[in-house]
Amino acid sequence: PAWFDSPDDPRVWERVDDIPDAELWRVHERRRERMVAAVRTRLRAQLGRRGAPPAEVRAAEEVLDPEALTIGFARRFAPYKRATLLFRDLDRLRALVSSRERPIQFVFAGKSHPADGAGKELIKQVAVVCNRPEFRRRIVFLENYDMALARTMVRGVDVWLNNPLRQHEASGTSGMKVPPNGGLNLSCLDGWWPEAYNGDNGWAIGDGRLFDDLTYQDHIESESLYTLLEREIVPLFYDRSADNIPRNWVRRIKNSLKTICPAFSMHRVLKEYQEGFYHPAAQRYGALTAQDFALARSLTAWKRRLRERWHNIRIVQVNTDTPGVLKVGDALPLRTSVRLGEISPDDIAVEAYYGPVGVDGRIMGGQKTAMRHVEVGANGEHVFEGAVPCGRSGRYGYAVRVVPRHADLIDPYTQGMVAWG
C-alpha cells in the first residue's frame, strides 16, 4: 500500500518481503507470457512488411518460449553501447540458447540516429545473427522501437542487459525502469549501476577496470558476460523448489525492489531539487526583493567596493612548523600573514587548499580548510592560522588563498576574486 504515493520511502519497499514468493513469481510469469505474445505479434507484422514468405510469417508464432529465461536489450544503437558484445563467441551463445533443460533467449530492439552509419551497421549485425537457423527461435530483433515496445519489454523480461563501454554511459534510465517490474539488471559498472549494484540485486559485467586496448576490453567483458550467464544467472533461474519456484531468484528480485526502487525515482529527484534548490532559491528571491530590493542593493554595493580594493590584497608570508615526518592522522600547522589594505578581515576568508600532487606538480582533486584570524601584526598585516589534515599517505601539496566572504553571498568563487599565496 502507498508505494505509488511514496516511492522514495524505503519503508514502503521493505514490505516486499511480505509478498509470498509463489504470488510474486506467478505474476512475473504471466507478464513474461504477455511479452512473448506481443513480440510474436510485432514480429509477424514486421515480416509481413518485408514481404517474407507466408511460411516464415507463420513461424513467428513459434519464436521464444513463454517459460524460458528471457533477456532484453533495447536502446539507441550507438557504438559505445556495444550491442554486439554478446556475439563475440557464437559457439558459447549457441550452447546457451540451444539447451533443452535450461533454455535462454534474447529480445533485441532499438534504433540508431539516421546519420549514424556505425549504429546502423550494429543493427545489421544483430539482424544477421537473429536470422541464422540456430538462433532464429531464440534471438529476436524488433524494428520500430518506441515507448509501447519499451513498456512491453521492461514488464516482461527476466534480465535487462546493458554493456556500454565504461565512462561513456551518462545514466541508464532504461535499467532503472526494470526493477519495479520484477526484472533484474545485468550491466557493466557504468552510468547509474555502480551506485545501485550491491552484489545481491543484479549482476555486474567485469570488475570496472579500463584497458587502453578496446579490443581487449571487449574480450575481457564478453568473457565475463558469458561466464555470468553460464555459471550464475542460468543456474539460479532454473534452480527450482518442489513447487517449481526459483526461490533464490525471487529473493534477488525482492532485494532489487527494496534497494533500487526508493533510490532511483523522479519522485526522489524532484524532492531533493525542491528541498535543496527550488525552496532555498524562492526564499532567497524573497529576501533579495524585500523592501524595494534593499538586500540586493546592499550586496551589490558591497561587491563593488570589494572589487575596487581587491588588488591591494597580498599574501605576504606562509610559515609552517614541519616535523621531520608527517604520519597519517597528523595535521600540518600553517600560519600566514596577509596584507588587506582598506578591506576588513570580516569581508574575506583565508583558506588552505590542499591535495595529492600529480606528475605535473599540480594539486589534484583538492580540498579546502578554513584558517582563522588571530591577530594584527605591528606592520598592519593580518595573521591567520590553520592546519592541513593528513588523512592519507602520499605526496601532497598545499597553497593559501583569500576569497570574498559575506553572509548573503552564495558562492565566493563566482566573483572572479581570488588571491593566491
Side-chain angles (χ1 to χ4, degrees):
W3 72 268
F4 193 80
D5 298 317
S6 304
D8 62 324
D9 186 350
R11 295 171 298 178
V12 171
W13 295 97
E14 290 294 331
R15 299 176 188 154
V16 166
D17 286 332
D18 298 332
I19 301 174
D21 290 353
E23 182 178 350
L24 182 62
W25 186 245
R26 189 162 54 245
V27 170
H28 181 66
E29 285 196 302
R30 297 299 173 268
R31 291 157 71 90
R32 189 193 317 112
E33 290 172 2
R34 294 192 189 107
M35 186 200 71
V36 169
V39 167
R40 289 171 175 174
T41 299
R42 290 186 71 114
L43 187 58
R44 285 200 311 272
Q46 180 175 306
L47 292 170
R49 288 193 302 269
R50 290 186 193 168
E56 189 174 343
V57 176
R58 288 194 300 271
E61 287 289 351
E62 301 176 0
V63 301
L64 304 183
D65 180 347
E67 298 183 356
L69 171 60
T70 305
I71 298 178
F73 181 100
R75 52 188 42 84
R76 182 168 56 91
F77 269 66
Y80 78 86
K81 293 182 181 289
R82 299 190 297 183
T84 57
L85 189 70
L86 180 69
F87 303 147
R88 286 184 62 87
D89 191 335
L90 292 180
D91 290 334
R92 291 176 80 174
L93 182 60
R94 185 184 301 109
L96 283 166
V97 303
S98 61
S99 172
R100 292 184 178 274
E101 294 78 20
R102 303 191 301 185
I104 183 172
Q105 55 198 13
F106 299 86
V107 179
F108 283 82
K111 292 180 178 178
S112 65
H113 188 279
D116 186 358
K120 294 177 183 178
E121 180 60 29
L122 287 173
I123 293 177
K124 180 180 177 181
Q125 293 175 28
V126 172
V128 167
V129 173
C130 292
N131 288 327
R132 292 177 60 155
E134 65 268 37
F135 297 125
R136 192 169 293 165
R137 293 186 61 237
R138 294 297 188 194
I139 305 178
V140 176
F141 177 79
L142 298 176
E143 301 170 351
N144 298 322
Y145 181 57
D146 55 15
M147 290 177 67
L149 179 54
R151 186 178 297 113
T152 298
M153 290 183 64
V154 297
R155 283 175 174 173
V157 297
D158 299 294
V159 175
W160 193 257
L161 176 62
N162 185 37
N163 43 234
L165 188 63
R166 281 204 65 233
Q167 295 188 339
H168 286 70
E169 185 72 273
S171 180
T173 51
S174 65
M176 299 177 195
K177 292 182 286 189
V178 173
N181 288 280
L184 296 171
N185 277 275
L186 168 60
S187 176
C188 291
L189 290 167
D190 199 18
W192 76 296
W193 194 229
E195 298 176 53
Y197 175 63
N198 68 2
D200 203 29
N201 58 2
W203 295 274
I205 301 171
D207 57 6
R209 284 184 295 171
L210 286 171
F211 300 95
D212 294 333
D213 187 338
L214 295 184
T215 301
Y216 185 66
Q217 184 91 34
D218 289 351
H219 168 72
I220 290 293
E221 293 181 346
S222 65
E223 286 291 313
S224 174
L225 173 56
Y226 288 127
T227 302
L228 281 170
L229 290 171
E230 294 165 347
R231 299 183 185 178
E232 291 194 32
I233 297 174
V234 173
L236 190 70
F237 183 85
Y238 288 104
D239 178 20
R240 305 297 173 96
S241 57
D243 52 1
N244 199 34
I245 296 173
R247 300 282 177 178
N248 289 326
W249 187 277
V250 172
R251 181 182 60 82
R252 194 169 284 251
I253 290 176
K254 290 183 176 182
N255 284 332
S256 174
L257 286 162
K258 290 188 295 183
T259 58
I260 293 175
C261 292
F264 294 90
S265 73
M266 283 309 299
H267 193 281
R268 177 199 59 80
V269 171
L270 289 174
K271 181 184 285 187
E272 288 187 6
Y273 268 97
Q274 189 243 335
E275 294 174 351
F277 296 94
Y278 300 152
H279 188 233
Q283 288 183 314
R284 180 167 174 78
Y285 174 81
L288 287 170
T289 57
Q291 300 178 351
D292 192 27
F293 294 87
L295 178 57
R297 296 173 191 274
S298 171
L299 185 60
T300 301
W302 176 85
K303 289 180 181 179
R304 185 183 301 115
R305 289 195 305 272
L306 196 66
R307 193 175 302 279
E308 290 171 351
R309 302 168 181 174
W310 191 259
H311 65 279
N312 292 318
I313 292 181
R314 292 287 184 276
I315 296 177
V316 179
Q317 194 173 30
V318 179
N319 297 318
T320 181
D321 296 327
T322 309
V325 176
L326 280 167
K327 300 184 296 295
V328 171
D330 289 345
L332 178 67
L334 296 179
R335 183 180 175 91
T336 184
S337 300
V338 183
R339 189 176 301 146
L340 296 179
E342 299 178 358
I343 297 176
S344 167
D346 295 332
D347 291 334
I348 58 95
V350 179
E351 300 173 342
Y353 179 78
Y354 65 95
V357 175
V359 293
D360 59 355
R362 295 176 180 269
I363 294 175
M364 311 292 292
Q367 297 174 276
K368 66 177 182 180
T369 182
M371 301 181 69
R372 67 187 184 281
H373 186 264
V374 293
E375 63 182 7
V376 180
N379 54 4
E381 294 173 356
H382 295 263
V383 179
F384 294 79
E385 290 183 348
V388 172
C390 302
R392 301 183 68 178
S393 60
R395 183 168 177 254
Y396 277 68
Y398 68 87
V400 174
R401 66 188 179 190
V402 180
V403 296
R405 179 175 62 182
H406 191 283
D408 296 302
L409 191 65
I410 290 179
D411 185 351
Y413 309 106
T414 60
Q415 302 306 310
M417 293 184 284
V418 181
W420 289 93

Coordinates of all heavy atoms in Angstrom, one line a residue, residues 231-302:
R231 N 27.4 -19.7 -15.4 CA 27.7 -20.2 -14.1 C 26.8 -19.6 -13.0 O 26.6 -20.2 -11.9 CB 29.1 -19.9 -13.7 CG 30.1 -20.6 -14.6 CD 31.5 -20.4 -14.1 NE 32.5 -20.9 -15.1 CZ 33.8 -20.8 -14.9 NH1 34.3 -20.1 -13.9 NH2 34.7 -21.3 -15.8
E232 N 26.2 -18.5 -13.2 CA 25.3 -17.9 -12.2 C 23.9 -17.7 -12.6 O 23.0 -18.1 -11.9 CB 26.0 -16.5 -11.8 CG 27.3 -16.6 -11.0 CD 27.7 -15.3 -10.3 OE1 26.8 -14.6 -9.9 OE2 28.9 -15.1 -10.3
I233 N 23.7 -16.9 -13.7 CA 22.3 -16.5 -14.0 C 21.4 -17.7 -14.4 O 20.3 -17.9 -13.9 CB 22.4 -15.4 -15.1 CG1 23.1 -14.2 -14.5 CG2 21.0 -15.0 -15.5 CD1 23.4 -13.1 -15.6
V234 N 21.9 -18.5 -15.4 CA 21.1 -19.6 -15.8 C 20.8 -20.6 -14.7 O 19.7 -21.0 -14.5 CB 21.7 -20.2 -17.1 CG1 21.0 -21.5 -17.5 CG2 21.7 -19.3 -18.3
P235 N 21.9 -21.0 -14.0 CA 21.6 -22.0 -12.9 C 20.7 -21.4 -11.8 O 19.8 -22.2 -11.3 CB 23.0 -22.2 -12.3 CG 24.0 -21.9 -13.4 CD 23.3 -20.8 -14.2
L236 N 20.8 -20.2 -11.5 CA 19.9 -19.6 -10.5 C 18.5 -19.6 -10.9 O 17.6 -19.8 -10.1 CB 20.4 -18.1 -10.1 CG 19.8 -17.5 -8.9 CD1 20.2 -18.2 -7.6 CD2 20.1 -16.0 -8.9
F237 N 18.3 -19.2 -12.2 CA 16.9 -19.2 -12.7 C 16.2 -20.5 -12.7 O 15.0 -20.6 -12.4 CB 16.9 -18.6 -14.1 CG 15.6 -18.4 -14.7 CD1 14.8 -17.2 -14.5 CD2 15.0 -19.4 -15.6 CE1 13.6 -17.0 -15.1 CE2 13.7 -19.2 -16.1 CZ 13.0 -18.0 -15.9
Y238 N 17.0 -21.6 -13.0 CA 16.4 -22.9 -13.2 C 16.5 -23.8 -11.9 O 16.2 -24.9 -11.9 CB 16.9 -23.6 -14.4 CG 16.4 -23.0 -15.7 CD1 17.2 -22.2 -16.4 CD2 15.1 -23.3 -16.1 CE1 16.8 -21.7 -17.6 CE2 14.6 -22.8 -17.3 CZ 15.5 -21.9 -18.0 OH 15.0 -21.4 -19.2
D239 N 17.0 -23.2 -10.8 CA 17.1 -23.9 -9.6 C 15.8 -23.8 -8.9 O 15.5 -22.8 -8.2 CB 18.2 -23.3 -8.7 CG 18.3 -24.0 -7.3 OD1 17.8 -25.1 -7.2 OD2 18.9 -23.3 -6.4
R240 N 14.9 -24.8 -9.0 CA 13.5 -24.7 -8.6 C 13.3 -25.5 -7.3 O 13.9 -26.6 -7.1 CB 12.6 -25.1 -9.7 CG 12.7 -24.4 -11.0 CD 12.4 -22.9 -10.9 NE 12.8 -22.2 -12.1 CZ 11.9 -21.8 -13.0 NH1 10.6 -22.3 -12.9 NH2 12.2 -21.1 -14.1
S241 N 12.4 -25.0 -6.5 CA 11.9 -25.8 -5.3 C 10.9 -26.8 -5.8 O 10.5 -26.9 -7.0 CB 11.3 -24.9 -4.3 OG 10.2 -24.1 -4.9
A242 N 10.3 -27.6 -4.8 CA 9.4 -28.6 -5.2 C 8.1 -28.1 -5.9 O 7.5 -28.8 -6.7 CB 9.0 -29.4 -3.9
D243 N 7.8 -26.8 -5.6 CA 6.6 -26.2 -6.3 C 7.0 -25.4 -7.5 O 6.2 -24.5 -7.9 CB 5.8 -25.3 -5.3 CG 6.8 -24.3 -4.6 OD1 8.0 -24.3 -4.9 OD2 6.3 -23.6 -3.7
N244 N 8.2 -25.7 -8.1 CA 8.6 -25.1 -9.3 C 8.8 -23.6 -9.2 O 8.6 -22.8 -10.2 CB 7.7 -25.4 -10.5 CG 8.4 -25.2 -11.8 OD1 9.6 -25.4 -12.0 ND2 7.6 -24.7 -12.8
I245 N 9.3 -23.1 -8.1 CA 9.6 -21.7 -7.9 C 11.0 -21.5 -7.6 O 11.6 -22.1 -6.8 CB 8.8 -21.1 -6.7 CG1 7.3 -21.2 -7.0 CG2 9.1 -19.7 -6.4 CD1 6.4 -20.8 -5.8
P246 N 11.7 -20.6 -8.4 CA 13.1 -20.3 -8.2 C 13.3 -19.4 -6.9 O 13.4 -18.2 -7.1 CB 13.6 -19.6 -9.4 CG 12.3 -19.0 -10.0 CD 11.2 -19.8 -9.5
R247 N 13.3 -20.0 -5.8 CA 13.3 -19.2 -4.5 C 14.5 -18.2 -4.4 O 14.3 -17.0 -4.0 CB 13.4 -20.1 -3.3 CG 12.2 -21.1 -3.2 CD 11.0 -20.5 -2.7 NE 9.8 -21.4 -2.7 CZ 8.7 -21.1 -2.2 NH1 8.4 -19.9 -1.8 NH2 7.7 -22.0 -2.2
N248 N 15.7 -18.6 -4.8 CA 16.8 -17.7 -4.7 C 16.7 -16.6 -5.8 O 17.2 -15.4 -5.5 CB 18.1 -18.5 -4.9 CG 18.4 -19.3 -3.7 OD1 18.1 -19.0 -2.6 ND2 19.0 -20.5 -3.9
W249 N 16.1 -16.9 -6.9 CA 15.9 -15.8 -7.9 C 14.9 -14.8 -7.4 O 15.1 -13.6 -7.5 CB 15.4 -16.5 -9.2 CG 15.3 -15.5 -10.4 CD1 14.3 -14.6 -10.6 CD2 16.2 -15.3 -11.4 NE1 14.5 -13.9 -11.8 CE2 15.7 -14.3 -12.3 CE3 17.5 -15.8 -11.7 CZ2 16.4 -13.8 -13.4 CZ3 18.2 -15.4 -12.8 CH2 17.6 -14.4 -13.7
V250 N 13.8 -15.3 -6.8 CA 12.8 -14.4 -6.2 C 13.4 -13.5 -5.1 O 13.1 -12.3 -5.0 CB 11.6 -15.2 -5.7 CG1 10.6 -14.3 -5.0 CG2 10.9 -15.9 -6.9
R251 N 14.3 -14.1 -4.3 CA 14.9 -13.4 -3.3 C 15.7 -12.2 -3.9 O 15.7 -11.1 -3.3 CB 15.9 -14.3 -2.5 CG 16.6 -13.6 -1.3 CD 17.5 -14.5 -0.6 NE 18.5 -15.1 -1.5 CZ 19.6 -14.5 -1.8 NH1 19.9 -13.2 -1.3 NH2 20.5 -15.0 -2.6
R252 N 16.4 -12.5 -5.0 CA 17.2 -11.4 -5.6 C 16.2 -10.3 -6.2 O 16.6 -9.1 -6.2 CB 18.0 -12.0 -6.7 CG 19.1 -11.1 -7.3 CD 20.1 -11.9 -8.1 NE 21.0 -12.7 -7.4 CZ 22.3 -12.4 -7.2 NH1 22.9 -11.4 -7.8 NH2 23.1 -13.2 -6.5
I253 N 15.1 -10.7 -6.7 CA 14.1 -9.8 -7.2 C 13.7 -8.8 -6.1 O 13.6 -7.6 -6.2 CB 12.9 -10.5 -7.8 CG1 13.2 -11.1 -9.1 CG2 11.7 -9.5 -8.0 CD1 12.1 -11.9 -9.7
K254 N 13.4 -9.4 -4.9 CA 13.0 -8.6 -3.8 C 14.1 -7.7 -3.3 O 13.8 -6.6 -2.9 CB 12.5 -9.6 -2.6 CG 11.2 -10.3 -2.9 CD 10.8 -11.1 -1.7 CE 9.4 -11.8 -2.0 NZ 9.0 -12.6 -0.8
N255 N 15.3 -8.2 -3.3 CA 16.5 -7.3 -3.0 C 16.6 -6.1 -3.9 O 16.9 -5.0 -3.6 CB 17.8 -8.1 -2.9 CG 17.9 -8.9 -1.7 OD1 17.3 -8.6 -0.7 ND2 18.6 -10.0 -1.8
S256 N 16.3 -6.4 -5.2 CA 16.4 -5.4 -6.2 C 15.3 -4.3 -6.0 O 15.5 -3.1 -6.0 CB 16.2 -6.0 -7.6 OG 16.1 -5.0 -8.6
L257 N 14.1 -4.8 -5.7 CA 13.0 -3.9 -5.4 C 13.3 -3.0 -4.2 O 13.0 -1.8 -4.2 CB 11.7 -4.7 -5.2 CG 11.0 -5.3 -6.4 CD1 10.1 -6.4 -6.0 CD2 10.3 -4.3 -7.2
K258 N 13.8 -3.6 -3.2 CA 14.0 -2.9 -1.9 C 15.1 -1.9 -2.0 O 15.0 -0.8 -1.4 CB 14.3 -3.9 -0.8 CG 13.1 -4.7 -0.4 CD 13.4 -5.5 0.9 CE 14.5 -6.5 0.6 NZ 14.7 -7.4 1.8
T259 N 16.2 -2.2 -2.7 CA 17.4 -1.3 -2.7 C 17.3 -0.3 -3.9 O 17.9 0.8 -3.7 CB 18.6 -2.2 -2.8 OG1 18.6 -3.0 -4.0 CG2 18.8 -3.1 -1.6
I260 N 16.7 -0.6 -5.0 CA 16.8 0.3 -6.2 C 15.6 1.2 -6.3 O 15.7 2.4 -6.5 CB 16.9 -0.6 -7.4 CG1 18.3 -1.3 -7.4 CG2 16.8 0.3 -8.7 CD1 18.5 -2.2 -8.6
C261 N 14.4 0.7 -6.0 CA 13.2 1.5 -6.3 C 13.1 2.8 -5.4 O 12.8 3.8 -6.0 CB 11.9 0.6 -6.0 SG 11.7 -0.7 -7.2
P262 N 13.4 2.8 -4.1 CA 13.3 4.0 -3.4 C 14.4 5.0 -3.8 O 14.2 6.2 -3.6 CB 13.5 3.6 -1.9 CG 14.2 2.3 -2.0 CD 13.8 1.6 -3.2
A263 N 15.5 4.6 -4.3 CA 16.6 5.5 -4.6 C 16.6 6.1 -6.0 O 16.9 7.2 -6.2 CB 18.0 4.8 -4.4
F264 N 16.1 5.3 -7.0 CA 16.1 5.7 -8.4 C 14.7 5.9 -8.9 O 14.1 5.1 -9.5 CB 16.8 4.6 -9.2 CG 18.3 4.5 -8.9 CD1 18.7 3.6 -7.9 CD2 19.2 5.3 -9.5 CE1 20.0 3.6 -7.6 CE2 20.5 5.3 -9.1 CZ 21.0 4.4 -8.2
S265 N 14.2 7.1 -8.5 CA 12.9 7.5 -9.0 C 12.9 9.1 -9.1 O 13.5 9.8 -8.4 CB 11.8 7.1 -8.0 OG 11.8 7.9 -6.8
M266 N 12.0 9.6 -10.1 CA 12.0 11.0 -10.2 C 11.3 11.7 -9.0 O 11.5 12.9 -8.8 CB 11.2 11.3 -11.5 CG 12.0 11.1 -12.8 SD 13.6 12.0 -12.8 CE 13.1 13.7 -12.6
H267 N 10.5 10.9 -8.3 CA 9.9 11.4 -7.1 C 11.0 11.9 -6.1 O 11.0 13.0 -5.5 CB 9.1 10.4 -6.4 CG 8.2 10.9 -5.3 ND1 8.6 11.1 -4.1 CD2 6.8 11.2 -5.3 CE1 7.6 11.6 -3.3 NE2 6.5 11.6 -4.1
R268 N 12.0 11.0 -5.9 CA 13.2 11.4 -5.0 C 14.0 12.5 -5.6 O 14.3 13.5 -4.9 CB 14.1 10.2 -4.8 CG 15.3 10.5 -4.0 CD 16.4 9.5 -4.2 NE 16.9 9.4 -5.6 CZ 17.7 10.3 -6.2 NH1 18.2 11.3 -5.5 NH2 18.1 10.1 -7.4
V269 N 14.2 12.5 -6.9 CA 15.0 13.6 -7.6 C 14.3 14.9 -7.4 O 14.9 15.9 -7.0 CB 15.2 13.3 -9.1 CG1 15.8 14.4 -9.8 CG2 16.0 12.0 -9.2
L270 N 13.0 15.0 -7.7 CA 12.3 16.3 -7.6 C 12.2 16.7 -6.1 O 12.3 17.9 -5.9 CB 10.9 16.1 -8.2 CG 10.9 16.0 -9.7 CD1 9.4 15.7 -10.2 CD2 11.4 17.2 -10.4
K271 N 12.1 15.8 -5.2 CA 12.0 16.2 -3.8 C 13.4 16.8 -3.4 O 13.4 17.8 -2.7 CB 11.7 15.0 -2.9 CG 11.7 15.3 -1.4 CD 11.4 14.1 -0.6 CE 10.0 13.6 -0.6 NZ 9.8 12.5 0.3
E272 N 14.5 16.2 -3.8 CA 15.8 16.8 -3.5 C 16.0 18.1 -4.1 O 16.6 19.0 -3.5 CB 16.9 15.8 -3.9 CG 17.0 14.6 -3.0 CD 18.2 13.7 -3.4 OE1 19.0 14.1 -4.2 OE2 18.3 12.6 -2.8
Y273 N 15.6 18.3 -5.4 CA 15.7 19.6 -6.1 C 14.9 20.6 -5.3 O 15.3 21.8 -5.1 CB 15.2 19.5 -7.5 CG 16.3 19.2 -8.5 CD1 16.6 17.9 -8.9 CD2 17.2 20.2 -8.9 CE1 17.6 17.6 -9.8 CE2 18.2 19.9 -9.8 CZ 18.4 18.6 -10.3 OH 19.4 18.4 -11.1
Q274 N 13.7 20.2 -4.9 CA 12.8 21.2 -4.2 C 13.4 21.6 -2.9 O 13.4 22.8 -2.5 CB 11.4 20.5 -4.0 CG 10.4 21.5 -3.5 CD 9.9 21.2 -2.1 OE1 9.9 20.0 -1.8 NE2 9.4 22.1 -1.4
E275 N 13.9 20.6 -2.1 CA 14.4 20.9 -0.8 C 15.8 21.6 -0.9 O 16.1 22.4 0.0 CB 14.5 19.6 0.0 CG 13.1 19.0 0.3 CD 13.3 17.7 1.1 OE1 14.4 17.2 1.1 OE2 12.2 17.2 1.5
G276 N 16.6 21.2 -1.8 CA 18.0 21.7 -1.9 C 18.2 22.9 -2.8 O 19.1 23.7 -2.6
F277 N 17.2 23.2 -3.7 CA 17.4 24.2 -4.7 C 16.2 25.2 -4.8 O 16.3 26.4 -4.6 CB 17.8 23.7 -6.1 CG 19.1 22.9 -6.1 CD1 19.1 21.6 -5.9 CD2 20.3 23.6 -6.2 CE1 20.3 20.9 -5.9 CE2 21.5 22.9 -6.2 CZ 21.5 21.6 -6.1
Y278 N 15.1 24.6 -5.2 CA 13.9 25.4 -5.5 C 13.4 26.2 -4.3 O 13.2 27.4 -4.4 CB 12.8 24.6 -6.1 CG 13.1 23.8 -7.3 CD1 12.4 22.6 -7.6 CD2 14.0 24.3 -8.2 CE1 12.7 21.9 -8.8 CE2 14.3 23.6 -9.4 CZ 13.7 22.4 -9.6 OH 14.0 21.6 -10.8
H279 N 13.3 25.5 -3.2 CA 12.8 26.2 -2.0 C 13.8 27.3 -1.5 O 13.4 28.4 -1.2 CB 12.4 25.2 -0.9 CG 11.7 25.8 0.3 ND1 12.2 25.6 1.6 CD2 10.6 26.6 0.4 CE1 11.4 26.3 2.4 NE2 10.5 26.9 1.7
P280 N 15.1 26.9 -1.4 CA 16.0 27.9 -1.0 C 16.1 29.1 -1.9 O 16.3 30.3 -1.5 CB 17.4 27.2 -0.9 CG 17.0 25.8 -0.7 CD 15.7 25.6 -1.4
A281 N 16.0 28.8 -3.3 CA 16.0 29.9 -4.2 C 14.8 30.8 -4.1 O 15.0 32.0 -4.2 CB 16.0 29.3 -5.7
A282 N 13.7 30.2 -3.8 CA 12.5 31.1 -3.6 C 12.6 31.9 -2.3 O 12.3 33.1 -2.3 CB 11.2 30.2 -3.5
Q283 N 13.2 31.3 -1.3 CA 13.4 32.1 -0.1 C 14.4 33.2 -0.3 O 14.3 34.4 0.2 CB 14.0 31.2 1.0 CG 12.9 30.3 1.6 CD 13.5 29.4 2.8 OE1 14.6 28.9 2.7 NE2 12.8 29.3 3.9
R284 N 15.5 32.9 -1.1 CA 16.5 34.0 -1.4 C 15.9 35.1 -2.2 O 16.2 36.2 -2.0 CB 17.7 33.3 -2.1 CG 18.8 34.3 -2.4 CD 20.1 33.7 -2.8 NE 21.1 34.6 -3.2 CZ 21.8 35.4 -2.4 NH1 21.6 35.3 -1.1 NH2 22.7 36.3 -2.9
Y285 N 15.1 34.7 -3.2 CA 14.4 35.7 -4.0 C 13.6 36.6 -3.2 O 13.6 37.9 -3.3 CB 13.5 35.0 -5.1 CG 12.7 36.0 -5.9 CD1 13.2 36.7 -7.0 CD2 11.4 36.2 -5.6 CE1 12.5 37.6 -7.7 CE2 10.6 37.1 -6.3 CZ 11.2 37.8 -7.4 OH 10.4 38.7 -8.1
G286 N 12.8 36.1 -2.2 CA 12.0 36.9 -1.3 C 12.9 37.8 -0.5 O 12.5 39.0 -0.3
A287 N 14.0 37.3 0.0 CA 14.9 38.2 0.8 C 15.5 39.3 0.0 O 15.6 40.4 0.5 CB 16.0 37.3 1.5
L288 N 16.0 39.0 -1.2 CA 16.6 40.0 -2.0 C 15.7 41.1 -2.5 O 16.1 42.2 -2.7 CB 17.3 39.3 -3.3 CG 18.5 38.5 -3.0 CD1 18.9 37.7 -4.3 CD2 19.7 39.3 -2.6
T289 N 14.4 40.7 -2.7 CA 13.5 41.7 -3.3 C 12.7 42.5 -2.2 O 12.0 43.4 -2.6 CB 12.5 41.0 -4.3 OG1 11.8 40.0 -3.5 CG2 13.3 40.4 -5.4
A290 N 12.8 42.0 -1.0 CA 12.0 42.7 0.1 C 12.5 44.1 0.2 O 13.6 44.5 0.0 CB 12.2 41.9 1.4
Q291 N 11.5 45.0 0.6 CA 11.8 46.4 0.9 C 12.5 47.1 -0.3 O 13.5 47.7 -0.1 CB 12.6 46.6 2.2 CG 11.9 46.0 3.4 CD 12.7 46.1 4.7 OE1 13.9 46.5 4.6 NE2 12.1 45.8 5.8
D292 N 11.8 46.9 -1.4 CA 12.4 47.5 -2.6 C 13.8 47.1 -2.9 O 14.7 48.0 -3.2 CB 12.2 49.1 -2.5 CG 12.5 49.8 -3.9 OD1 12.2 49.1 -4.9 OD2 13.0 50.9 -3.9
F293 N 14.1 45.8 -2.8 CA 15.4 45.2 -3.2 C 16.5 45.8 -2.3 O 17.6 45.9 -2.7 CB 15.7 45.5 -4.6 CG 14.8 44.8 -5.6 CD1 13.6 45.4 -6.0 CD2 15.1 43.6 -6.1 CE1 12.8 44.8 -6.9 CE2 14.3 42.9 -7.0 CZ 13.1 43.5 -7.4
A294 N 16.2 46.0 -1.0 CA 17.2 46.6 -0.1 C 18.4 45.7 0.0 O 19.6 46.2 -0.1 CB 16.6 46.8 1.3
L295 N 18.2 44.4 0.2 CA 19.4 43.5 0.4 C 20.2 43.4 -0.9 O 21.4 43.4 -0.9 CB 18.9 42.1 0.8 CG 20.0 41.0 1.0 CD1 21.0 41.5 2.0 CD2 19.4 39.7 1.4
A296 N 19.5 43.3 -2.1 CA 20.1 43.2 -3.4 C 21.0 44.5 -3.6 O 22.1 44.4 -4.1 CB 19.1 43.1 -4.5
R297 N 20.5 45.6 -3.3 CA 21.2 46.9 -3.5 C 22.5 46.9 -2.5 O 23.6 47.3 -3.0 CB 20.4 48.1 -3.2 CG 19.2 48.2 -4.1 CD 18.3 49.4 -3.6 NE 17.0 49.4 -4.4 CZ 16.8 50.0 -5.5 NH1 17.8 50.6 -6.1 NH2 15.6 49.9 -6.1
S298 N 22.3 46.5 -1.3 CA 23.4 46.4 -0.3 C 24.5 45.5 -0.7 O 25.7 45.8 -0.7 CB 22.8 46.1 1.1 OG 23.9 45.9 2.0
L299 N 24.1 44.3 -1.2 CA 25.0 43.3 -1.6 C 25.8 43.7 -2.9 O 27.0 43.5 -3.0 CB 24.3 41.9 -1.9 CG 25.2 40.7 -2.2 CD1 26.2 40.5 -1.1 CD2 24.4 39.5 -2.5
T300 N 25.1 44.4 -3.8 CA 25.8 44.9 -5.0 C 26.8 46.0 -4.6 O 27.9 46.0 -5.2 CB 24.7 45.4 -6.0 OG1 23.8 44.4 -6.3 CG2 25.4 46.0 -7.2
A301 N 26.4 46.9 -3.7 CA 27.4 47.9 -3.3 C 28.6 47.3 -2.6 O 29.7 47.8 -2.9 CB 26.6 48.9 -2.4
W302 N 28.4 46.3 -1.8 CA 29.5 45.6 -1.1 C 30.4 44.9 -2.2 O 31.7 45.1 -2.0 CB 28.9 44.5 -0.2 CG 30.0 43.7 0.5 CD1 30.7 44.0 1.6 CD2 30.5 42.5 0.1 NE1 31.6 43.1 1.9 CE2 31.5 42.1 1.0 CE3 30.2 41.6 -1.0 CZ2 32.2 40.9 0.9 CZ3 30.9 40.4 -1.1 CH2 31.9 40.0 -0.2

